[in-house]
């Protein structure tokens, strides 16, 4: 591993339109993606993730800021001079070319000898398991096969970085699961840095080495899937990824004070003042009412999901919470609506948010 | 019983009207084709089947001469018009909308809207001064005039094709190291080809049957097939003209059928 990053964006700003009507799609984004990493840009639509990808590919140029590839400033290079390839959301396969011609297109444009183009095309066809389809026109392929051709076409020129713009969103659920595994396999086999754009949190969690969560043109948090899920630093990240309970609290002297005089030790050092605590539903424990250190809550209702059930609760101050509980075979432990119970949580499960 | 939904086809006389319109459109053409095979001299009395008129038209040296001239003009004009129309279509679709874009559309399609006779008179006067200045008397004037009024016919199918094209394909080509010229040559042009061929054929047919502008612009001895036929009919209506018209009709139908198949949306 070298000490330069595969891709870097430094203070990248992208505005569309001019003057007062300008829309800021990217707001001073800085991110450094490591060599050989599977990096995911995750966020809702309109968060700027595709804009950032287009800046790296060179389809758009930043209003200000720089884009670096392997430590080299490529901000002003046109897309055809960047050793970066893209898998498009719509695949964008050339309809007038065969599968093999599509895959060989990049190398041919680079002026590589015919023998090399053919050999590499054959390798890529084998890699995506489409040897039998080499002569077909792309319109004759299924969605999943077109997806593979798009991948092979983008990987054939051995790019330094592969950009993937929501490549799985057009596939049905079963095929998407299959392609997730396939993508991960290709990334490990080729060792190429993948920058993957998605709005699907599950996709991001299962595939990525690191995730950058985006909203409103900014990157809010960068970290491993575990860090992002277990240690969200702000409310948006906590809310966007998985389900979360938010509990208002007051920080005083290194402890969080909750309604009803409950005090919780927190791991992080925080300035005194109002704060929001985030706790995942699976980390809430229902205990007998009145137990020391437990919050009092009323059960509103519970929803049975098979392996677990979601118990909806209301704190005394009106805050609504959801606790996820494993179900008993006979349903004996199910709390009844209207029952008053205690809630406890391990201090490690509680995350103090920035906002 | 429930009320039947209103349907225009159930209005009284609707079918009769439709039949009448079709008859008005196709009966004369049918008569033309039929009498091109009539063995008698009359174009009103059927006397028997013959291919004589076709043989005679084929043997007629003058018919050969004007046909070749028509084909030369139509070929040159349709190629020039298609090239110009392709560039115009690229210029009006492959960039952001700009002020005065509608004005440009109107300018390009002007020959469809301005009465042909006006263009014809304008060209007559314009070319007359060039003829005086240069002394050139050749076919160039007819080719230039035909190219000009054929441009909108070539422009419309090409623009439709360009507008239906997925721009991501060009982005993808650039992403795969194609220079702008390579992108155009390897992606845009092959995908545009059906539109260009369709435009070429429409322009060809349009040029082939033009009379008004040709009559005004041509010099002596530059008759094209339609103006020759017009001259013949002025003297006497002969079945030879019927035969030539029938051949033209077949040629046009073949070209327009090919046009239809080329512009049909592929799934």
């Amino acid at each position: 591993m070298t000490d330069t990053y595969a891709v870097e964006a430094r203070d990248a700003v992208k505005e569309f339109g001019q003057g007062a009507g300008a829309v800021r799609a990217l707001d001073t984004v800085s991110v450094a993606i490591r060599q050989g990493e599977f990096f995911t840009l995750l966020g809702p639509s309109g968060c700027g993730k595709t804009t950032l990808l287009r800046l790296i590919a060179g389809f758009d140029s930043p209003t200000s800021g720089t884009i670096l590839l392997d430590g080299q400033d490529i901000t002003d290079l046109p897309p055809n001079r960047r050793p970066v390839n893209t898998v498009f959301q719509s695949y964008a396969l050339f309809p007038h070319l065969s599968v093999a011609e599509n895959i060989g297109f990049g190398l041919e444009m680079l002026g590589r000898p015919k023998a090399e183009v053919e050999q590499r095309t054959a390798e890529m066809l084998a890699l995506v398991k489409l040897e039998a389809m080499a002569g077909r026109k792309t319109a004759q392929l299924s969605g999943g096969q077109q997806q593979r051709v798009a991948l092979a076409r983008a990987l054939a020129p051995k790019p330094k970085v592969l950009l993937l713009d929501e490549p799985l969103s057009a596939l049905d659920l079963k095929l998407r699961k299959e392609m997730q595994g396939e993508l991960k396999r290709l990334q490990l086999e080729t060792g190429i840095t993948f920058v993957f754009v998605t709005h699907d949190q599950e996709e991001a969690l299962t595939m990525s080495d690191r995730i950058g969560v985006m909203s409103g043109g900014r990157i809010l948090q960068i970290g491993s899937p575990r860090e992002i899920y277990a240690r969200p630093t702000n409310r948006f990240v906590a809310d966007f990824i998985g389900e979360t309970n938010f509990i208002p609290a007051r920080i005083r002297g290194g402890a969080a004070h909750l309604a009803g005089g409950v005090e919780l030790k927190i791991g992080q050092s925080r300035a005194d003042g109002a704060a929001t605590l985030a706790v995942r539903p699976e980390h809430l424990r229902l205990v007998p009412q009145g137990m020391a250190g437990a919050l009092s809550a009323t059960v509103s209702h519970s929803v049975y999901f098979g392996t677990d059930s979601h118990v909806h609760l209301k704190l005394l101050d009106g805050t609504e919470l959801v606790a996820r509980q494993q179900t008993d075979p006979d349903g004996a432990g199910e709390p009844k609506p209207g029952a008053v119970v205690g809630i406890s949580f391990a201090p490690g499960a509680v995350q103090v948010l920035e906002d | 019983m429930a009320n039947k939904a209103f349907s225009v086809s159930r209005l009284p006389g609707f079918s009769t009207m439709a039949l009448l319109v079709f008859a008005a459109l196709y009966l004369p053409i049918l008569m033309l084709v039929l009498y091109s095979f009539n063995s008698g001299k009359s174009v009103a009395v059927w006397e028997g089947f013959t291919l004589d008129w076709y043989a005679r038209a084929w043997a007629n040296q003058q018919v050969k001469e004007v046909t070749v001239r028509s084909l030369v003009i139509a070929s040159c004009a349709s190629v020039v018009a298609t090239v110009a129309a392709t560039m115009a279509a690229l210029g009006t679709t492959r960039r952001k909308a700009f002020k005065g874009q509608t004005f440009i559309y109107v300018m390009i399609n002007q020959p469809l809207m301005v009465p042909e006779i006006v263009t014809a008179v304008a060209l007559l006067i314009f070319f007359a001064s060039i003829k005086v200045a240069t002394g050139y008397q050749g076919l160039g004037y007819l080719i230039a005039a035909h190219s000009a009024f054929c441009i909108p016919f070539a422009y419309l199918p090409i623009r439709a094709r360009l507008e239906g094209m997925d721009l991501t394909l060009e982005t993808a080509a650039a992403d795969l190291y194609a220079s702008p010229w390579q992108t155009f040559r390897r992606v845009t042009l092959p995908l545009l080809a059906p539109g260009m061929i369709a435009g070429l054929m429409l322009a060809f047919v349009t040029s082939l049957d033009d009379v008004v502008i040709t009559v005004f612009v041509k010099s002596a001895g530059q008759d094209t097939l339609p103006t020759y036929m017009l001259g013949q009919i002025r003297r006497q209506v002969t079945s030879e003209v019927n035969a030539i018209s029938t051949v033209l009709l077949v040629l046009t139908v073949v070209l327009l059928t090919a046009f239809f198949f080329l512009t049909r949306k592929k799934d």
Side-chain angles (χ1 to χ4, degrees):
Chain A
M1 196 152 153
T2 55
D3 52 358
T4 59
Y5 289 104
V7 189
E8 260 182 280
R10 288 186 190 159
D11 301 325
V13 174
K14 179 65 187 175
E15 285 178 350
F16 291 104
Q18 266 143 26
V23 177
R24 196 165 260 223
L26 269 190
D27 192 1
T28 335
V29 164
S30 293
V31 60
I33 297 165
R34 296 175 192 136
Q35 304 279 1
E37 183 171 45
F38 196 120
F39 191 92
T40 299
L41 291 167
L42 173 66
S45 58
C47 70
K49 56 194 193 300
T50 296
T51 306
L52 181 54
L53 202 76
R54 290 178 64 86
L55 292 190
I56 299 171
F59 305 145
D60 288 319
S61 46
T63 309
S64 68
T66 45
I67 307 290
L68 291 95
L69 187 81
D70 264 352
Q72 306 264 312
D73 186 346
I74 57 161
T75 314
D76 297 323
L77 278 187
N80 56 311
R81 310 232 336 255
R82 297 186 185 199
V84 168
N85 291 130
T86 308
V87 177
F88 294 86
Q89 187 169 12
S90 61
Y91 312 147
L93 299 176
F94 304 125
H96 58 299
L97 301 180
S98 71
V99 167
E101 286 167 333
N102 262 285
I103 295 174
F105 190 88
L107 288 168
E108 210 188 315
M109 291 301 115
L110 285 170
R112 296 290 165 74
K114 208 174 165 218
E116 189 194 326
V117 176
E118 278 170 10
Q119 195 211 331
R120 182 79 181 143
T121 302
E123 270 174 44
M124 295 316 297
L125 280 168
L127 188 69
V128 296
K129 299 172 187 138
L130 281 176
E131 294 99 323
M133 305 289 170
R136 298 265 186 101
K137 283 269 157 53
T138 56
Q140 295 168 276
L141 304 182
S142 70
Q145 289 169 333
Q146 291 189 7
Q147 168 76 81
R148 283 161 201 270
V149 176
L151 263 170
R153 184 180 71 174
L155 283 171
K158 298 185 182 162
K160 291 213 167 114
V161 176
L162 186 75
L163 307 175
L164 303 107
D165 185 8
E166 308 225 16
L168 308 180
S169 59
L171 303 177
D172 60 49
L173 186 67
K174 188 168 170 288
L175 207 50
R176 201 181 317 156
K177 295 273 176 221
E178 225 175 277
M179 284 308 293
Q180 286 176 8
E182 186 81 6
L183 270 180
K184 194 71 196 162
R185 173 181 75 86
L186 285 174
Q187 198 255 334
L188 291 173
E189 274 179 33
T190 57
I192 290 173
T193 309
F194 277 34
V195 181
F196 184 86
V197 160
T198 185
H199 63 269
D200 183 329
Q201 40 140 329
E202 190 195 318
E203 214 165 84
L205 289 174
T206 54
M207 298 168 75
S208 322
D209 294 320
R210 285 197 305 157
I211 299 172
V213 183
M214 293 187 73
S215 174
R218 289 171 170 277
I219 295 188
L220 300 178
Q221 189 176 355
I222 297 175
S224 69
R226 190 172 290 276
E227 284 165 354
I228 296 281
Y229 185 80
R231 295 273 167 262
T233 55
N234 63 61
R235 193 178 180 122
F236 179 85
V237 176
D239 200 23
F240 188 70
I241 296 160
E243 287 166 61
T244 307
N245 293 304
F246 296 108
I247 306 168
R250 192 154 269 288
I251 306 290
R252 211 178 312 123
H257 296 263
L258 278 63
V262 175
E263 192 180 317
L264 272 181
K265 281 251 182 308
I266 51 171
Q268 303 133 292
S269 59
R270 287 281 307 207
D272 290 359
T276 302
L277 306 184
V279 193
R280 299 287 180 191
E282 63 269 28
H283 295 143
L284 287 185
R285 296 273 167 275
L286 298 190
V287 295
Q289 193 208 355
M291 207 171 120
L295 283 173
S296 254
T298 314
V299 176
S300 314
H301 63 282
S302 62
V303 184
Y304 180 70
F305 277 88
T307 56
D308 52 15
S309 60
H310 293 188
V311 183
H312 292 252
L313 304 148
K314 207 172 224 176
L315 295 183
L316 294 175
D317 64 357
T319 309
E320 289 180 12
L321 303 178
V322 178
R324 191 177 295 169
Q325 278 210 311
Q326 284 214 330
T327 46
D328 301 330
D330 54 1
E334 296 283 303
K336 300 281 172 293
V340 180
V341 294
I343 303 171
S344 79
F345 21 72
V350 176
Q351 185 68 10
V352 184
L353 302 180
E354 275 167 2
D355 63 348
Chain B
M1 204 171 125
N3 277 336
K4 279 183 189 166
F6 172 78
S7 164
V8 75
S9 61
R10 270 196 283 277
L11 284 178
F14 185 83
S15 315
T16 321
M17 192 66 193
L19 284 175
L20 276 175
V21 170
F22 274 115
L25 272 174
Y26 290 104
L27 218 52
I29 295 178
L30 199 71
M31 291 293 283
L32 170 104
V33 174
L34 189 68
Y35 277 94
S36 71
F37 298 109
N38 187 9
S39 62
K41 269 205 163 210
S42 165
V43 289
V45 188
W46 180 257
E47 289 175 34
F49 179 85
T50 181
L51 285 172
D52 250 18
W53 300 112
Y54 288 89
R56 245 201 243 195
W58 180 253
N60 188 332
Q61 203 51 47
Q62 234 184 330
V63 171
K64 261 185 205 160
E65 191 190 304
V66 296
T67 305
V68 168
R69 190 174 294 122
S70 266
L71 291 178
V72 167
I73 294 170
S75 306
C76 294
S78 54
V79 169
V80 172
T82 304
V83 172
T86 304
M87 295 196 286
L90 284 168
T92 49
T93 54
R94 282 294 181 274
R95 51 165 296 157
K96 280 180 195 146
F98 52 94
K99 247 190 177 175
Q101 190 153 4
T102 316
F103 181 68
I104 299 284
Y105 287 148
V106 173
M107 291 285 283
I108 293 168
N109 293 322
Q110 169 270 119
L112 293 179
M113 290 170 251
V114 175
E116 206 182 345
I117 191 77
V118 175
T119 314
V121 173
L123 285 172
L124 173 72
I125 298 165
F126 181 65
F127 286 150
S129 53
I130 297 181
K131 275 181 197 172
V132 169
T134 62
Y136 173 71
Q137 297 283 341
L139 271 187
Y141 299 109
L142 276 175
I143 293 173
H146 279 226
S147 302
F149 73 72
C150 283
I151 287 175
F153 294 95
Y155 173 76
L156 293 175
I158 295 173
R159 198 185 117 199
R161 183 90 193 165
L162 270 176
E163 281 179 342
M165 206 185 284
D166 181 7
L167 275 179
T168 322
L169 293 176
E170 289 171 13
T171 311
D175 185 62
L176 290 160
Y177 313 109
S179 64
W181 168 248
Q182 282 173 317
T183 301
F184 178 71
R185 171 73 196 73
R186 295 294 305 275
V187 175
T188 314
L189 206 55
L191 292 173
L192 193 54
M196 288 174 69
I197 295 170
L200 190 82
M201 289 189 316
L202 267 189
F204 187 84
V205 170
T206 308
S207 161
L208 203 61
D209 84 352
D210 179 73
V211 172
V212 177
I213 287 177
T214 311
V215 165
F216 275 75
V217 172
K218 77 184 173 71
S219 308
Q222 286 187 343
D223 262 319
T224 62
L225 193 55
T227 63
Y228 166 80
M229 286 161 68
L230 189 65
Q232 291 297 301
I233 281 178
R234 262 200 212 118
R235 260 173 271 154
Q236 180 197 5
V237 183
T238 73
S239 297
E240 192 179 329
V241 172
N242 278 10
I244 299 169
S245 301
T246 305
V247 173
L248 271 177
L249 176 72
V250 171
L251 181 72
T252 312
V253 167
V254 167
L255 281 176
L256 288 183
T257 310
F259 168 82
F260 170 76
F261 279 108
L262 279 169
T263 49
R264 195 172 55 160
K265 275 250 181 289
K266 281 184 202 134
D267 296 317

